[in-house]
Amino acid sequence: MLAAAGALIVLGLFGGKLIGKIRMPSITGWIIVGLLLGPSFLNIVSTNIASELQPIEGLALAVIAFAIGGELTVSSLRKLGGSIITITIVQMMVTFGSVLVVTYLISESLPLALTFGAMSAATAPAATIAVLHELKAKGPLTRTLLAVVALDDAFTIVLFGVVMSFVEAMVGGNSINATSLLAPLLEITFSALLGIGVGIVGVLVLDRLRHKEDVLPFVIGLALVVAGLAQRLNLSLLLAAMVTGSVIANFSRKPRTVFETLESVEQPIYILFFALAGAKLQLSALQEVGLLGIGYVLARSIGKLAGNYLGGLLAHAPDSVRKYLGFAMLPQAGVAIGLAIVAVERFPQFGGVIMTTTLAAIFVYEVIGPVGAKYALVKADEVPRAQVGSSS
């Protein structure tokens, strides 16, 4: 297992540099290396080994969400104002609607189409954040992207919970009650409260650390604590860790030290996370996906592009945000898989179709998503010229 993890990091590093020669993001190279080492090709990283390395995913997601939270300061959100809520909700609902219509026309099953529509709104923050850090992007699009990505999954969890209540009633003949509708709202609330609690502890301790070298182990430990507690309590790991990071960014006396220190160790964590994601991708899923999977991918892509443009228009966002935000929000991974697992458990009669389509879509989005994010940031002129020329 340890040898496989080492191989993923070392080969992923060079895979990222190699693909950078053709001006593609490093993350695409990391995913391709994982795919080559995984069951679809060399099987060096078998399904069993990938499962054993799963705890690393929790740490990586916690670190990624923590970093997103670090960008959500009161001052930055004040600058963006209510436009963030408008853009997030509009793009989410347009995506939901487009996928619902297309998958219903193909499958002729309203419960299945509703399920796909609710899942489609989720965005994978990990890929987006990795590209942002690699390109050192800064500007209106970057700030808006960080905030929308942070809110998108939280809102999607609520949407998914509400939609599942309706689907359950349609499939099983059960009535929709207040308890089923409140469940997703309670998950969001308790996830945020967990993040606030851990964040307050973090602020109290960090402000008393005298040596800079003590900051990194404490922050990593904090990320593991919030990830572990969220998983144990069946709460949203992403939301809890994001709120923890935001609390520290807003209330700690030395937030710059905290997040700059964290950046120094992010790359190996990111490489292993995305290479492992690549190793889990199954090419066989692409062969089974059929018209429904193709329709899902196309409808979700159109929904994200059109929804973000419309949301930016309604929010009077800058031109660069309206035009390019959608391209940076195409990736889909962990949250979508989690929602798919929940859907399969509730509706096993749709299990094969849901998982096959979800895995195939993730394969496509994990490869093209980072490319779309880089395209958006470069076109918005938010990447330093040196990075455009030298980065992947």
Side-chain angles (χ1 to χ4, degrees), residues 17-327:
K17 291 185 177 297
L18 183 62
I19 206 164
K21 300 294 183 181
I22 56 174
R23 300 289 179 85
M24 292 182 71
S26 293
I27 181 178
T28 304
W30 304 341
I31 292 171
I32 291 174
V33 165
L35 178 64
L36 293 175
L37 295 179
S40 294
F41 288 96
L42 300 177
N43 201 32
I44 294 173
V45 182
S46 64
T47 302
N48 289 336
I49 290 176
S51 297
E52 291 174 357
L53 290 172
Q54 192 167 352
I56 295 173
E57 292 184 340
L59 171 62
L61 285 172
V63 169
I64 290 163
F66 188 90
I68 294 173
E71 302 289 340
L72 298 180
T73 60
V74 173
S75 59
S76 63
L77 291 176
R78 188 179 292 122
K79 290 178 183 177
L80 294 169
S83 64
I84 294 304
I85 302 294
T86 301
I87 293 172
T88 303
I89 292 177
V90 171
Q91 62 86 22
M92 185 176 72
M93 296 312 298
V94 170
T95 303
F96 169 73
S98 62
V99 172
L100 168 62
V101 170
V102 170
T103 54
Y104 175 70
L105 291 174
I106 295 172
S107 69
E108 298 182 349
S109 168
L110 184 56
L112 185 60
L114 282 166
T115 302
F116 278 128
M119 290 167 48
S120 69
T123 303
T128 302
I129 300 305
V131 174
L132 287 175
H133 284 187
E134 182 184 0
L135 298 178
K136 296 180 173 57
K138 290 182 179 179
L141 175 61
T142 301
R143 290 193 299 271
T144 304
L145 176 60
L146 283 167
V148 173
V149 165
L151 294 174
D152 184 69
D153 285 332
F155 287 0
T156 297
I157 291 171
V158 176
L159 173 67
F160 183 80
V162 173
V163 170
M164 286 301 95
S165 297
F166 282 95
V167 173
E168 204 159 25
M170 294 172 65
V171 173
N174 300 322
S175 61
I176 299 170
N177 53 53
T179 302
S180 61
L181 293 176
L182 280 175
L185 296 175
L186 290 174
E187 180 181 343
I188 294 295
T189 301
F190 286 119
S191 298
L193 288 174
L194 173 62
I196 291 171
V198 176
I200 290 172
V201 173
V203 170
L204 293 174
V205 175
L206 283 166
D207 287 351
R208 286 165 175 76
L209 292 179
R210 296 183 178 181
H211 304 291
K212 188 176 180 179
E213 58 268 24
D214 295 334
V215 172
L216 180 59
F218 178 76
V219 171
I220 295 295
L222 204 65
L224 285 171
V225 167
V226 74
L229 288 174
Q231 291 176 337
R232 176 67 64 88
L233 298 172
N234 292 319
L235 298 176
S236 170
L237 183 159
L238 284 171
L239 182 58
M242 182 190 71
V243 172
T244 299
S246 182
V247 169
I248 290 173
N250 282 284
F251 297 103
S252 174
R253 291 199 297 266
K254 45 186 175 185
R256 184 181 296 275
T257 300
V258 172
F259 291 98
E260 286 182 352
T261 302
L262 188 61
E263 284 182 11
S264 66
V265 296
E266 282 178 344
Q267 188 175 26
I269 294 175
Y270 282 2
I271 292 175
L272 183 55
F273 177 80
F274 287 106
L276 190 58
K280 289 183 174 183
L281 294 175
Q282 300 284 348
L283 286 182
S284 58
L286 291 178
Q287 300 170 358
E288 302 172 11
V289 69
L291 183 61
L292 182 62
I294 295 171
Y296 174 88
V297 170
L298 290 177
R300 181 180 179 274
S301 300
I302 292 171
K304 285 292 180 184
L305 294 174
N308 279 285
Y309 183 87
L310 178 60
L313 199 64
L314 294 174
H316 305 291
D319 192 53
S320 60
V321 173
R322 295 200 302 269
K323 286 183 177 179
Y324 304 118
L325 182 59
F327 290 98

